[in-house]
């Protein structure tokens, strides 16, 4: 590669970016070279271990329990032994770069390590190091499949240290989970752990809990967990009655036309009712003024139904499979298991599709993915795109990230984007490129933005006689197998976004001879980090490979974030734009998108901060009641008038456990009521914009007020229940109380059109701009 070409190569830009950050000591980055002397010591020590007999090596492994990771010598000895065990038991001798990653992670740095460099093995070394020195380790994987695969592969190494290892995945019952969580090293997704924690909080006795106290987490694909999924609320719910007005609204809204009864804003993120629409609804429901205080509920529901109709699209935001609405995870382009939108919206979409409305949920408890991660005392992690996430990892979790060089120099060629006027021209050019590569036997992996795009493009290729394998939200069960074969000679795989993350693509020798894997992105994603993740599929372990993005001015990243008010100066006959300014416009659009995502992330966090604190207070009370007889007496003393002997009566051993159960029952009920109020508030809060209040401030005021009420409410209910209890009552059922019978878990997906606060800011923004969309102009 010539010097000039090197400068244009995005991967060398990335290297430059690293150097600049290091030089400027940017927040969030760490220089891992400081650990080089330790790594060299590990290399020396493990060479000395080669000649050691098996028994002697095991002896060394088992004696690791007394090691102290903060001590350089102990750390070196431990990693050297783990490395030698990996060579003997797994047949893999860690490369120097893997040792460097392991040492850095054991010193609690996050490492950026390219795809295919062997992060799984690094995870084994780190988990073994932490667990051998007495920590309880969770390795958080990107999905169930990887958790199972890695736990299985790592087991022989852990066993050498006398450590047990297990995976927690869907389909395991209580007993199996209970056993798995008692292993020294547990592989699971953050969702499994989060949901089990939520269920644990509902249990009246500590002994029944699944998850022991959280201790150390090693997070694989850490940016996916802590950035893409961080603000996803994990919800535990019980069944509730559906809302009655929905069905009738769906009909009324379905009859409306865009531009007549309602309008959609330029960025396709917001709908508003027009005069004719307001009148139609008023007539339909026989109300005078839809905007009157009395009808806030109806107005909110109408907006939700309109959103469902106009902004949430089948095969983009969701698919319908087996008579169910199944969400597509935005950041991954695949079916998001167990995800729902907020209640009203989810039901509105089900009605739009004419399928049975699933049970409405009464939220019993909820917690953000990020809160799960924050629950660990020690957190470290790895990813091929951690560096792009470093600033946020530092801001949100006080983690520092450093880069590990590749084992062999990367020879992947990252081509400059090819920008076209329209999506049609873009696809035609891209299809031509795929056809040519395929003809030469080069395997091609195509990344698309949506399920619909993947299918359209596959058809386009089929019309040219190129057979493809399509990997999208509709067939993700076969994901790992499909991705694993994407490097075969002449294979053409069309995949949505992050599908197959974590699964290795091995290059067949003939495919390598044909130039290695060609990764072709159809349109850039909303963040450069995801683009980079896709590129990373090519050129692993020093393999040949190439990446290129075919883009157009029709791409969502442009149309949703910018209005371009000028024409390109130079366009090829095939629609390719040669105007340099336009490449900058495209990149600008992506930065705008990234900025919005960050803003959204921050706002969501602010909505949840108070609730998180309240939840911690609640849990502290719960824990104290469960564990400490004095705390129960104290609690009861505060709810009965001074001098009453009731508290004493209820803290006698025979009655105490029932009193605890009753107190917890009422706390949990009050908390559920509180959360459901918050959910309703969030749905309706943007309407308060009309009253010109700051929605976030208003939300926090109401939430804090209501949380105080909740404490009193729970205490009063506990007193009433206990006062009315007969002498022979021993269970909740004897008192006529019942915990929710069926509980289920789901994740609340972001509204595809943004949070309430987001809409608020856009509303204000538009007002300030005089309703003009942003324009780019050059002078
Ligand atoms: P990553 O998670 O970084 O993308 P993986 O952990 O999936 O990478 O590993 C990619 C491939 O490299 C796997 O096939 C793995 O067996 C192989 N591998 C990893 N480390 C080594 C090693 N030290 N020696 C030989 N092969 C290795
Ligand atoms: Mg991996």
């Amino acid at each position: 590669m010539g010097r000039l070409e090197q400068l244009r190569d995005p991967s060398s830009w990335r290297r430059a970016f690293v150097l600049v950050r290091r030089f400027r000591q940017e927040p969030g980055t760490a220089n891992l070279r400081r650990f080089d002397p330790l790594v060299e010591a590990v290399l020396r020590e493990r060479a000395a271990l080669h000649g050691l007999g098996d028994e002697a090596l095991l002896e060394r492994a088992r004696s690791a329990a007394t090691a102290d990771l903060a001590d350089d010598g102990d750390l070196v000895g431990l990693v050297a032994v783990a490395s030698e065990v990996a060579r003997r038991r797994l047949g893999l001798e860690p490369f120097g770069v893997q040792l460097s990653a392991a040492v850095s992670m054991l010193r609690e740095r996050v490492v950026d390590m390219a795809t295919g460099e062997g992060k799984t093995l690094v995870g084994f070394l780190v988990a073994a190091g932490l667990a051998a020195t007495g920590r309880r380790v969770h390795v958080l994987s990107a999905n169930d499949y990887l958790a199972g695969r890695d736990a299985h592969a790592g087991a022989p190494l852990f066993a050498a240290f006398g450590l047990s290892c297990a995976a927690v995945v869907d389909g395991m019952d209580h007993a199996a989970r209970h056993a798995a969580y008692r292993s020294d090293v547990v592989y699971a997704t953050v969702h499994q752990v989060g949901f089990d924690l939520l269920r644990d909080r509902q249990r009246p006795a500590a002994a029944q809990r699944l998850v022991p106290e959280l201790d150390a987490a090693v997070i694989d694909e850490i940016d996916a967990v802590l950035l893409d999924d961080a603000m996803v609320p994990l919800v535990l719910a019980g069944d509730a009655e559906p809302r009655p007005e929905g069905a009738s609204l769906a009909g009324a809204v379905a009859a409306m036309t865009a531009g007549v009864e309602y309008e959609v804003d330029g960025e396709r993120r917001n709908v508003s009712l027009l005069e004719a629409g307001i009148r139609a609804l008023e007539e339909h429901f026989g109300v005078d003024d839809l905007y009157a205080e009395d009808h806030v509920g109806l107005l909110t529901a109408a907006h939700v139904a309109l959103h469902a109709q106009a902004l949430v699209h089948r095969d983009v935001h969701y698919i319908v499979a087996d008579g169910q609405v199944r969400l597509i995870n935005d950041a991954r382009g695949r079916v998001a298991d167990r995800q729902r939108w907020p209640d009203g919206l989810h039901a509105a979409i089900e009605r739009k599709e004419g399928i049975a409305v699933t049970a409405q949920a009464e939220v019993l408890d909820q917690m953000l993915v990020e809160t799960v991660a924050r629950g660990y005392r020690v957190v470290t992690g790895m990813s091929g795109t951690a560096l792009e996430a470093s600033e946020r990892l530092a801001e949100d979790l006080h983690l520092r990230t450093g880069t590990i060089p590749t084992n062999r120099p990367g020879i992947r060629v990252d081509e400059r984007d090819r920008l076209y006027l329209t999506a049609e021209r873009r696809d035609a050019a891209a299809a031509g490129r795929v056809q040519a590569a395929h003809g030469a036997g080069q395997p091609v992996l195509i990344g698309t933005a949506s399920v619909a795009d993947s299918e359209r493009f596959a058809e386009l290729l089929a019309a040219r006689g190129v057979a493809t394998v399509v990997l999208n939200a509709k067939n993700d069960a076969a994901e790992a197998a499909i991705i694993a074969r994407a490097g075969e000679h002449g294979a053409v795989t069309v995949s949505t976004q992050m599908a197959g993350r974590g699964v290795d693509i091995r290059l067949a020798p003939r495919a390598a001879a044909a130039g290695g894997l060609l990764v072709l992105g159809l349109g850039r994603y909303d963040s450069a980090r995801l683009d980079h993740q896709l590129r990373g599929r090519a050129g692993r372990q020093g393999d040949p490979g190439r990446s290129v993005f075919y883009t157009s001015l029709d791409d969502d990243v442009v149309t949703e974030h910018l209005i371009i008010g000028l024409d390109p100066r130079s366009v090829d006959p095939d629609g390719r734009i040669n105007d340099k300014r336009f490449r900058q416009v495209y990149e600008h659009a992506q930065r705008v998108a990234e900025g919005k995502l960050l803003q959204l992330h921050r706002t969501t966090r602010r909505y949840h901060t108070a609730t998180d604190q309240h939840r911690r207070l609640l849990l502290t009370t719960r824990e104290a009641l469960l564990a400490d007889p004095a705390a129960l007496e104290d609690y009861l003393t505060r709810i009965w008038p001074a001098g009453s002997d009731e508290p004493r009566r209820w803290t006698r051993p025979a009655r105490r456990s029932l009193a605890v159960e009753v107190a917890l029952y009422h706390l949990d009920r009050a908390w559920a009521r509180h959360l459901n109020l918050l959910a309703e508030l969030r749905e309706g809060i943007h309407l308060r914009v009309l009253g010109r209040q700051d929605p976030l401030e208003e939300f926090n005021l109401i939430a804090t007020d209501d949380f105080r009420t909740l404490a009193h409410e729970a205490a009063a209910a506990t007193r009433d229940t206990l006062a009315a209890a007969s002498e022979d009552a021993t269970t909740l059922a004897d008192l006529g109380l019942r915990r929710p019978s069926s509980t289920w878990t789901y994740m609340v997906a972001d509204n595809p059109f943004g949070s309430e606060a987001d809409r608020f800011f856009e509303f204000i923004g538009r007002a300030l701009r005089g309703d003009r969309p942003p324009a780019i102009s050059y002078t």
Side-chain angles (χ1 to χ4, degrees), residues 226-227 230-233 368-371 374 391-398 597-613 682 696 699-700 750 755 757:
L226 290 182
L227 267 65
M231 292 298 130
V232 173
L368 297 178
V369 163
E370 187 187 276
T371 309
R374 280 170 183 266
E391 213 156 323
R392 279 174 64 190
L393 291 175
E395 182 180 314
D396 300 349
L397 288 124
H398 309 293
L597 267 175
L598 182 61
Q599 190 57 44
L600 190 65
H601 183 95
R602 287 191 176 132
T603 318
T604 313
R605 175 202 299 280
R606 277 155 66 203
Y607 264 113
H608 284 278
T609 308
T611 312
D612 243 32
Q613 277 166 2
R682 279 168 58 84
L696 184 64
F699 177 87
N700 280 334
D750 262 342
S755 73

Side-chain angles (χ1 to χ4, degrees), residues 243 245 249 290 292-304 680 683-684 687:
R243 295 177 204 174
E245 76 269 19
L249 252 176
L290 192 58
E293 186 74 38
D294 288 356
H295 303 311
V296 164
L298 182 58
L299 182 60
T300 306
H303 269 110
V304 170
E680 271 171 35
E683 290 241 308
L687 297 173

Side-chain angles (χ1 to χ4, degrees), residues 92-95 98 114-121 502 504 506 540:
L92 296 171
E93 170 142 70
F95 304 126
Q98 287 174 310
T115 310
E117 288 292 301
K119 288 185 283 294
T120 313
L121 178 56
D504 199 23
R506 278 171 194 262
R540 60 178 276 291

Side-chain angles (χ1 to χ4, degrees), residues 668-716:
D668 293 345
R669 293 312 301 156
W671 178 244
R673 186 200 54 67
H674 177 70
L675 289 178
N676 287 286
L677 173 88
L678 298 189
E680 271 171 35
L681 217 52
R682 279 168 58 84
E683 290 241 308
I685 202 92
H686 68 290
L687 297 173
R688 289 170 194 260
V689 168
L690 303 173
R692 297 199 178 274
Q693 288 142 319
D694 173 351
L696 184 64
E697 197 173 306
E698 170 120 347
F699 177 87
N700 280 334
L701 277 176
I702 300 176
T704 306
D705 255 15
D706 191 65
F707 184 73
R708 278 197 209 106
T709 313
L710 169 166
H712 293 298
E713 180 184 305

Side-chain angles (χ1 to χ4, degrees), residues 427-469:
D427 288 356
R433 175 76 181 267
V434 173
Q435 194 176 9
H438 175 68
Q442 185 174 25
V444 188
L445 176 69
I446 298 133
T448 65
S450 70
V451 176
D453 277 0
S454 68
E455 285 176 351
R456 201 177 319 118
F457 196 68
E459 275 166 29
L460 207 62
L461 289 175
R464 290 171 177 252
V466 179
T468 58
V469 180

Side-chain angles (χ1 to χ4, degrees), residues 21 28-32 108-112 222 381 383 385-391 393-394 399-403:
R21 299 193 120 223
T29 56
N31 183 357
L32 303 181
E108 294 178 41
R109 306 302 198 272
V110 171
V111 302
D112 182 289
I222 190 167
S383 167
T385 42
L387 193 71
E388 285 93 334
S390 61
E391 213 156 323
L393 291 175
L399 294 171
R400 280 190 298 149
T401 307
T403 320

Side-chain angles (χ1 to χ4, degrees), residues 65-80:
T66 54
D68 173 8
L69 290 176
D71 178 88
D72 284 355
D74 283 9
L75 178 76
V76 166
L78 192 52
V79 176

Side-chain angles (χ1 to χ4, degrees), residues 217-280:
V218 178
I219 311 182
D220 197 4
E221 307 285 349
I222 190 167
D223 55 322
V225 174
L226 290 182
L227 267 65
D228 298 334
D229 283 354
M231 292 298 130
V232 173
L234 306 176
V235 176
L236 179 77
D239 292 346
E241 298 295 309
R243 295 177 204 174
E245 76 269 19
S248 171
L249 252 176
V253 166
M256 293 183 171
T257 314
V260 182
E261 278 99 358
Y262 67 89
E263 67 179 355
V264 177
D265 75 3
E267 295 174 329
R268 288 183 275 141
R269 289 166 69 80
N270 211 346
V271 289
S272 41
L273 282 164
L274 295 173
E275 201 44 47
I278 296 169
R279 261 187 281 114

